[in-house]
Amino acid sequence: IHPWQPAGPHGFCQAGVVMWKPEIPPEVPGLIEQVKGIWHKLTQAERQEAFQLLEEALKSPEDGWPVLYVNRETGRPYVPHTVEEDIAVHSDAPRYLLVRGGEGGGKSVAGIVKTLNRIRRGMSGLMCSPNLPHYKRSLWPEFRRWCPWDMVVPSHQRYSKQEWEPHEPFTIVFKNHAELHCAGIERPRSLEGPNINFAHFDEARLHPDEKALTVLDGRIRIQGKNEEPPQMWFTTTPAMNWLYTYFGPLLCKCKTCGDIEIELTDLGGMKCPKCGGLDIVVTDLYPAFKEDARDVVLLTEGNEANTFDGFADKRGQSLTEKEKRVLLNAEWEDLTDGEPFLPSIIWWDSCKEDLPPLGKDEQLVISLDAATGRRTTESDCFAITGTTRHPNQKYFDKVAVRIAETWQARPGEKIDYLGTEENPGPERFLLRLCGYRITEYGTYNFDPDLQHNVMVVTYDPTELHDMAQRLYTHEGIVWFSEFSQGNQRLEADRQLLELIKNHRIVHDGNEKLREHIRNADRKLDSTGRHMRIVKRNESQKIDLAIALSMGSFMTLHLNLL
């Protein structure tokens, strides 16, 4: 039994936790020191021979596994840097574990030793990276250095050779019948199938979203032979990413002053830092997850015994202060040019309301943001939002999101603007809102049963000039108003941030819109006064966020009833 040490951002400390560690004979530390003292003097062939002798001396008489794991290339044993790391690596709880560390902090090795401890006890699991190239050049070479290959079935011991490298997912079978599935997980759904006891996900921050976590969580459901509970652990450098949503502080709201930015580690006796109020409620999306999670921090300077003295200082010479905090001190911080549009998605979730159905007479602003397609990758979306003033006159200074729809083309194709009656494209969808059907001859028939009170369609003219000309100038169906992507967009993007922050925009919880808001970063110009919504990375969509920015601006700009 080992007590938890109060550390990490949560403070969720247990009174005690059962640890599983092999007993180390008293002569082993002295033997290790002898090897360390002469290792640098040995040739490569002598090192291999010395390692084999050391490996034989470290075998446990109970199961033949080593009492200490030793790096076959350096001759150095794995030694936890802190009590907290020791507990995390050698215990089977909690269900979710994050080991975040600076560069060279030893986080991947900690995860590998934890993996080997599970395998040793006969449990099967998964060891993965965000993609196969990363697995091949990073996690796999590290695992190969620490794995006791004489515990692997003979036919799989060939994997230990330096000239062997993986080109596809594969499985290592151990002599105790435990299996280790090895893979890169570009497509998380490909992991659906195996039922396993554990999963180790290295450098998970490089995965674009949390889909891998949610898929893996459903796979780790087999207890060990001695009822060891399933467990999942992540080892990563913590540049701000989706893991913060799960392992960051508990997000709360003060009901006294309405502050929604409170981050707490303990609700007991906590006061709102803004007003001192005690009426605090949890608004976090994953409070149960965080109760069953642990966050361990490994600093780069704490592992200099396995690099060289002064490595952290030398590494810091080429880094900015911001980069040092992330890459050396393992702090949560964004390293991209921008920063998240919303500091926390809780801001957006707090604006959710049960809205009545959109009435035919409500004055509606439609906003369009479009893309045509790309040859080799998925295009951005054609996004349509519909906004009104709040249907309750008491809150008429608020914007209500009533419509949020997207269309997307496959690589090499273009968006079908018309679509079909059963599966309408964006232009047909817009025409229906305005009360028109398209005949098979391409003419427009008015249908009052379809019509909503569309006051204006505001749009990005880059891709939609032709459509606006046809429907407004030539057909007179609805008023189209260009939305400048210069200063007007900058003003609208900043206004949207203020609307969300001050609860002056409401929505019904549309998942696609939430995803686009969460994918968005904000980028300031050199003066720091102008802000624009931008993508966090090229693969993530933000088109609905941009459409909403334009639509909410126009909704408040017009003197709607």
Side-chain angles (χ1 to χ4, degrees):
I1 305 296
H2 218 318
W4 278 115
Q5 301 300 306
H10 306 224
F12 298 142
C13 300
Q14 298 173 233
V17 61
V18 177
M19 295 178 63
W20 183 92
K21 292 181 71 173
E23 184 177 350
I24 300 176
E27 66 273 11
V28 165
L31 179 61
I32 292 290
E33 288 301 316
Q34 288 180 11
V35 172
K36 286 171 60 177
I38 64 170
W39 190 265
H40 67 285
K41 301 177 183 179
L42 304 178
T43 66
Q44 185 63 32
E46 290 171 337
R47 287 180 179 182
Q48 292 180 2
E49 183 179 356
F51 180 82
Q52 291 173 357
L53 293 173
L54 180 61
E55 192 174 40
E56 191 64 32
L58 293 179
K59 283 188 176 182
S60 166
E62 297 178 359
D63 58 9
W65 282 67
V67 294
L68 277 179
Y69 294 102
V70 178
N71 186 314
R72 64 181 57 249
E73 293 181 8
T74 66
R76 293 177 179 270
Y78 167 74
V79 178
H81 305 83
T82 63
V83 173
E84 189 180 28
E85 180 188 350
D86 190 18
I87 295 169
V89 169
H90 294 103
S91 63
D92 297 326
R95 180 174 174 84
Y96 310 105
L97 172 68
L98 174 66
V99 181
R100 54 184 168 106
E103 292 181 343
K107 56 190 178 296
S108 296
V109 175
I112 287 168
V113 171
K114 188 171 179 66
T115 294
L116 292 172
N117 281 341
R118 287 265 176 166
I119 294 171
R120 176 178 193 160
R121 290 175 285 159
M123 291 170 263
S124 296
L126 172 75
M127 185 176 68
C128 60
S129 291
N131 52 64
L132 189 59
H134 184 278
Y135 189 91
K136 185 189 305 187
R137 69 174 181 266
S138 179
L139 184 59
W140 173 247
E142 196 64 62
F143 177 82
R144 186 171 53 204
R145 296 182 189 111
W146 296 93
C147 178
W149 287 100
D150 56 343
M151 294 292 103
V152 173
V153 297
S155 61
H156 286 180
Q157 290 182 11
R158 59 189 175 89
Y159 299 150
S160 67
K161 305 298 182 182
Q162 280 192 315
E163 59 269 22
W164 188 90
E165 62 178 22
H167 296 285
E168 59 184 357
F170 65 102
T171 299
I172 305 173
V173 180
F174 289 76
K175 291 179 179 178
N176 62 0
H177 306 295
E179 296 182 354
L180 180 63
H181 304 285
C182 305
I185 51 174
E186 296 91 337
R187 296 180 298 106
R189 292 297 177 190
S190 66
L191 298 177
E192 293 182 343
N195 297 320
I196 52 180
N197 172 266
F198 68 88
H200 172 201
F201 194 171
D202 188 52
E203 290 299 351
R205 70 179 179 88
L206 298 177
H207 205 274
D209 53 43
E210 72 280 9
K211 291 178 182 177
L213 183 151
T214 56
V215 171
L216 286 174
D217 200 20
R219 310 276 29 110
I220 52 168
R221 56 193 186 193
I222 304 298
Q223 284 190 326
K225 296 177 180 178
N226 296 309
E227 299 185 356
E228 295 93 342
Q231 195 177 24
M232 174 164 50
W233 51 95
F234 303 86
T235 53
T236 190
T237 304
M240 184 61 76
N241 60 87
W242 56 269
L243 284 166
Y244 185 79
T245 305
Y246 291 87
F247 290 95
L250 196 66
L251 300 178
C252 305
K253 175 182 178 180
C254 175
K255 297 185 71 174
T256 303
C257 68
D259 191 354
I260 61 173
E261 298 182 68
I262 304 174
E263 297 181 346
L264 301 180
T265 59
D266 182 11
L267 284 176
M270 293 298 295
K271 294 182 180 180
C272 172
K274 184 175 181 180
C275 71
L278 298 176
D279 194 2
I280 295 174
V281 296
V282 175
T283 56
D284 203 289
L285 289 176
Y286 304 106
F289 184 102
K290 291 181 177 180
E291 289 281 359
D292 201 11
R294 188 69 180 163
D295 184 5
V296 177
V297 178
L298 301 181
L299 305 182
T300 298
E301 65 180 5
N303 194 41
E304 288 188 345
N306 294 310
T307 52
F308 62 84
D309 290 341
F311 169 73
D313 290 337
K314 293 292 185 183
R315 177 67 181 101
Q317 292 175 172
S318 62
L319 302 176
T320 64
E321 291 303 313
K322 184 177 184 180
E323 290 169 335
K324 288 178 186 177
R325 291 193 292 271
V326 175
L327 301 179
L328 300 181
N329 298 329
E331 296 180 18
W332 292 110
E333 195 161 349
D334 200 325
L335 290 180
T336 59
D337 290 338
E339 58 182 297
F341 175 60
L342 298 183
S344 170
I345 195 63
I346 295 299
W347 285 26
W348 178 254
D349 294 333
S350 298
C351 296
K352 182 179 177 180
E353 280 190 14
D354 291 328
L355 293 169
L358 177 63
K360 292 286 187 178
D361 295 327
E362 288 187 72
Q363 294 183 337
L364 182 66
V365 172
I366 299 297
S367 179
L368 313 179
D369 186 64
T372 54
R374 299 183 187 142
R375 291 189 176 184
T376 58
T377 60
E378 287 187 342
S379 72
D380 291 335
C381 302
F382 191 123
I384 295 182
T385 61
T387 50
T388 66
R389 297 293 183 102
H390 197 290
N392 187 332
Q393 291 290 324
K394 181 180 178 181
Y395 306 112
F396 205 57
D397 64 333
K398 293 185 176 182
V399 175
V401 185
R402 314 309 300 273
I403 296 169
E405 296 287 345
T406 60
W407 292 259
Q408 187 170 350
R410 296 178 179 177
E413 299 180 4
K414 293 186 177 182
I415 294 172
D416 182 358
Y417 276 24
L418 288 182
T420 64
E421 282 292 324
E422 296 74 22
N423 188 22
E427 184 172 331
R428 191 185 295 269
F429 181 86
L430 173 62
L431 286 167
R432 287 180 180 179
L433 290 174
C434 298
Y436 287 86
R437 295 186 184 276
I438 303 177
T439 69
E440 59 182 315
Y441 305 106
T443 57
Y444 304 100
N445 286 346
F446 181 67
D447 185 345
D449 292 335
L450 294 175
Q451 185 181 25
H452 285 78
N453 192 10
V454 178
M455 305 302 296
V456 64
V457 176
T458 187
Y459 66 102
D460 175 357
T462 305
E463 301 286 357
L464 293 171
H465 177 75
D466 176 70
M467 180 172 140
Q469 288 293 307
R470 285 189 292 103
L471 299 185
Y472 175 38
T473 305
H474 300 309
E475 301 294 339
I477 287 176
V478 67
W479 172 35
F480 273 76
S481 176
E482 285 190 15
F483 201 95
S484 166
Q485 299 302 295
N487 289 336
Q488 192 176 25
R489 252 292 302 281
L490 295 176
E491 186 178 352
D493 289 356
R494 184 173 288 280
Q495 183 188 73
L496 178 60
L497 178 62
E498 293 299 318
L499 290 176
I500 297 171
K501 181 177 180 180
N502 296 315
H503 284 197
R504 288 187 57 214
I505 190 168
V506 298
H507 59 86
D508 62 3
N510 182 285
E511 283 296 325
K512 183 64 72 173
L513 176 57
R514 181 180 186 273
E515 178 186 341
H516 285 213
I517 291 287
R518 187 174 59 176
N519 290 343
D521 273 4
R522 46 175 152 156
K523 188 171 185 177
L524 300 177
D525 68 2
S526 58
T527 68
R529 294 192 298 269
H530 298 133
M531 185 198 78
R532 178 179 289 272
I533 295 174
V534 296
K535 291 182 179 183
R536 182 160 303 129
N537 62 56
E538 189 60 30
S539 66
Q540 294 178 311
K541 313 305 178 191
I542 62 169
D543 309 87
L544 280 172
I546 294 172
L548 179 60
S549 172
M550 298 188 294
S552 58
F553 182 89
M554 188 64 77
T555 300
L556 293 176
H557 177 71
L558 296 176
N559 186 26
L560 301 182
L561 299 179

